[in-house]
Amino acid sequence: ATTRMRMDSDGDVGVAATPGANNSKFAVGGAISQDISAYWSYGNLLRRLNLSGPSGSGTFTRTVNIDTQMGFVAQGGAFMYMIHGWQSDGAHGMVHWHNNGSGSAVITGVYQHVYTAQGIGVSVSKGTGDLEIDFDITAAHVNTHGWYFILWW
């Protein structure tokens, strides 16, 4: 028999995962889908990825692999980002990409829409790997005081 759901003595629940993983009360070992049968669309809950902050310099790069870290392919997609730094530093925007149109598994174009940025610079570009996107951060505080860098899709 396969155990599909577990609850520990604290009431933490795990579905195909260990209860309380990542300091949570509910852990799921896979995607969660919202089944809204009385509505015109079905949606997945948002997923997120945390990126690390500065380490001694206010200028640095963080690289995201859209395949291994997010489950996307080169043909195209998009995600949102939010950065909070020290005091009033912050930025919010969207990143999207595409391949060359032939079904190639290589990103050829990366675009960014910055909705707001204050006290910090953010730009994106094609990374060195086939499925990588680089975030270039400038003018950030030199350590992680108040740092919060989240991607969601």
Side-chain angles (χ1 to χ4, degrees), residues 25 34 46 52 57 81 91 124 133:
K25 289 290 184 187
Q34 306 174 86
L46 291 175
S52 63
S57 172
Y81 68 87
V124 299
I133 295 175

Side-chain angles (χ1 to χ4, degrees), residues 41-111:
S41 70
Y42 296 90
N44 288 328
L45 298 174
L46 291 175
R47 299 180 76 187
R48 77 173 198 190
L49 176 65
N50 297 321
L51 298 180
S52 63
S55 180
S57 172
T59 300
F60 56 94
T61 300
R62 294 294 174 260
T63 301
V64 174
N65 184 304
I66 60 151
D67 174 35
T68 61
Q69 292 179 284
M70 303 172 93
F72 286 119
V73 295
Q75 284 80 354
F79 59 83
M80 305 295 291
Y81 68 87
M82 188 277 298
I83 298 173
H84 177 270
W86 182 241
Q87 295 181 341
S88 64
D89 291 353
H92 169 247
M94 182 181 85
V95 175
H96 58 108
W97 66 90
H98 64 80
N99 68 356
N100 65 5
S102 70
S104 168
V106 177
I107 293 172
T108 57
V110 177
Y111 308 94

